[in-house]
Structure formats: structure tokens, C-alpha cells
Amino acid sequence: MKLPFTKMHGCGNDYVYIDGSAVDVPAGKKAELVRRLSDRHFGIGGDGVIFINPSAEADFEMEMYNADGSRAEMCGNGIRCVAKYVYDARLTERRELDIVSAGKNRHIVLQTEDGRAVSARVDMGRPELRAEKIPVTAAGERVIDEEITVNGTVYRMTCVSMGNPHAVVFTADVKNLPLAEIGPYFENHERFPQRINTEFVHVVDRRHVEMRVWERGTGETLACGTGCCAVVTACVLNGLTEREITVHVPGGDIVAAWDAADDTVYMTGPAKTVFTGEIDVNL
């Protein structure tokens, strides 16, 4: 059959989007399909695949998969693109909507130009700092500026969950970091029972940081929305920045703010459509 799709990205964090209300992909075939579509040489190419489904508990559901076919809980860049997709496709006329992913609702406010969504502000919820909930193996209740030995090298990390697990590591230089060598060792470290997304961060000043990220199940990506939210949380916990920062990632800029009044992290960034098409698949 011919499977219609849309390729979208938020700051270069790109996914293949499939309208789950129009196409029924059997659950047992999704992992294999995701791996094929995500392949940058033999498929469409992307950091994963996101199915946009109807929902009884929100306006829409985001069903997200990493490039290796594993299920993921949340993607900040992805959820902005889902909101853009449903608005641009006129599946909704609302500029404020709720999208559920892995059982958690996120409220989104769209910014539009000429009838199209161009960016979005997402209520990403409260950061989870309890080690057992992230999860990360730890002696204490929280992991803040704590040592970890990875492949023989000692790092210091702060761990946060934004619906998915993150370890934030501060460093003086992210541009020359051999991330392809380091990333897999962090991702599969024994202290992370569900693997980990790792952000390496250089603090430029109190309102700006540079970040590169290694995402579990995918590898290095050009941006990570939940990662930016974890970064602002870690920065504040370590006294390094203000509560609102611009995170410079290889694919662009994302604004992340940890509101002290409601203990909620808000993320603002762009969402763009790359192209649409059809691909032959066997379902």
C-alpha cells in the first residue's frame, strides 16, 4: 500500500509524521515500519516516527517512536510539530490545544502567520527530580552535581525527568566533544535502568547556554525539546543561570523557562514542514 506521510522538524530534530486517523498501522508492525521509515539511506530519514491519533482524553494523541523502533514517552520538538500539523491540516481551528503523549497531557499555544502555525509554546509540566522516578540508581533522593564514571572517565551530572529521563553534564566545550564515542556509554550505563538521554552543556552567560544531546534509541540529534527543559532545570539547581534561558542547539534556538510560581517548565520553539509524500509499504 501507499502510506502518506509528512516530514517535519523542530530545530532540526526531524520526524516522519503519520495521520493515525487516516491510516491504521497494526501495532505489531509499527517497530519494523519505524526502523524502515527512519533510515536516512533506505527510507525517508528521521530521528523517529510519530503517529498523530484521535484521543478521548485530549484534542489529539502523539504516539512517538525512536529511530530504533523503541517507544518513547515524550518529545518537545515533536509535540510542537504535531500541533502545527493538526492546525495546518485544518483538523482543528484552535490555536490552544491539548495533546496527550504516554498518558500525559501537554497544553500548547500556537503562533501563526498567514494561516499556518510557525512556532509553539508548550507547557511541559513539572520536572521530576526524584531519582527512583527518573529513573536513575542513586544513594540519595536526588542526583544533583553528582559524580558518575563512564568508560573510565569521571563526569558530574544532574538528573531530571521531563516525562523521559535526562542526565545533564556541564562542560567547558561542547563543540569539540567526541559525542559519538561518549554518548552510547552514557545511554547504556548501568545506573540508568531505562537508558538515558544525555545533554552536554556549556554555560555562555546567565541567559544563554550551548547544548549537544545524545538521545537514547537515536543517537546525536540537532535538538531535543525535553532536553532543553531538563537543562534549564539543571542550570537553576546548580545556580548557573536565570530561570529563563535560550538554549543554542546545532539546529537552532529553543527558549526554556522554569516558572517558580507553578513549578512548571515552558518551552518555546519553531515547527516546520519539510515535505509530504507517499511511500510503498507492506502492512
Side-chain angles (χ1 to χ4, degrees):
M1 65 168 287
K2 291 188 178 297
L3 177 68
F5 68 88
T6 300
K7 176 76 175 288
M8 305 179 77
H9 79 88
C11 288
N13 192 194
D14 60 336
Y15 288 86
V16 177
Y17 293 80
I18 296 172
D19 185 349
S21 66
V23 179
D24 183 19
V25 179
K29 293 192 174 182
K30 283 185 175 178
E32 179 185 356
L33 177 66
V34 166
R35 287 190 291 270
R36 180 191 169 188
L37 298 184
S38 301
D39 192 296
R40 296 190 184 276
H41 300 287
F42 299 102
I44 299 165
D47 292 327
V49 175
I50 292 176
F51 295 87
I52 303 170
N53 302 325
S55 173
E57 55 188 312
D59 294 301
F60 299 93
E61 180 199 26
M62 177 175 79
E63 181 185 354
M64 177 194 170
Y65 292 82
N66 297 314
D68 66 355
S70 60
R71 189 78 157 85
E73 304 93 341
M74 181 59 190
C75 176
N77 293 309
I79 205 166
R80 294 199 313 273
C81 288
V82 170
K84 173 180 172 59
Y85 179 95
V86 298
Y87 183 82
D88 289 0
R90 299 299 181 258
L91 300 179
T92 182
E93 295 182 354
R94 297 174 57 191
R95 297 183 185 180
E96 292 194 29
L97 62 156
D98 294 319
I99 296 174
V100 63
S101 179
K104 292 186 178 181
N105 275 320
R106 300 295 187 227
H107 186 69
I108 300 168
V109 179
L110 287 167
Q111 289 78 50
T112 63
E113 293 179 4
D114 300 323
R116 299 284 181 177
V118 295
S119 65
R121 182 176 186 261
V122 185
D123 177 344
M124 296 291 287
R126 295 179 177 180
E128 175 61 72
L129 301 178
R130 290 172 294 176
E132 64 177 348
K133 297 293 185 179
I134 291 172
V136 52
T137 303
E141 183 178 348
R142 296 182 174 187
V143 176
I144 300 174
D145 192 32
E146 186 173 306
E147 282 192 0
I148 181 172
T149 301
V150 180
N151 194 33
T153 300
V154 178
Y155 300 87
R156 303 194 73 85
M157 67 177 180
T158 297
C159 293
V160 182
S161 173
M162 291 304 308
N164 54 358
H166 294 269
V168 179
V169 178
F170 294 101
T171 180
D173 180 15
V174 295
K175 292 184 173 68
N176 297 306
L177 190 75
L179 188 52
E181 299 174 17
I182 300 170
Y185 288 104
F186 266 94
E187 177 182 354
N188 298 291
H189 195 280
E190 61 184 5
R191 290 189 62 182
F192 308 118
Q194 295 180 14
R195 297 188 293 171
I196 198 76
N197 303 290
T198 311
E199 289 76 34
F200 295 89
V201 180
H202 167 60
V203 177
V204 178
D205 57 38
R206 297 285 299 179
R207 294 189 178 277
H208 300 83
V209 304
E210 298 174 328
M211 182 192 90
R212 288 174 65 193
V213 59
W214 183 271
E215 295 198 51
R216 60 177 181 167
T218 300
E220 182 173 12
T221 60
L222 297 182
C224 178
T226 54
C228 291
C229 297
V231 165
V232 71
T233 305
C235 284
V236 172
L237 290 172
N238 287 280
L240 298 175
T241 69
E242 305 300 326
R243 300 189 77 96
E244 180 174 313
I245 61 175
T246 298
V247 184
H248 304 292
V249 295
D253 292 342
I254 293 173
V255 176
W258 187 12
D259 192 301
D262 61 8
D263 190 28
T264 296
V265 179
Y266 296 90
M267 173 202 61
T268 304
K272 295 186 177 181
T273 299
V274 184
F275 59 86
T276 62
E278 293 182 334
I279 186 170
D280 288 325
V281 296
N282 294 318
L283 296 179

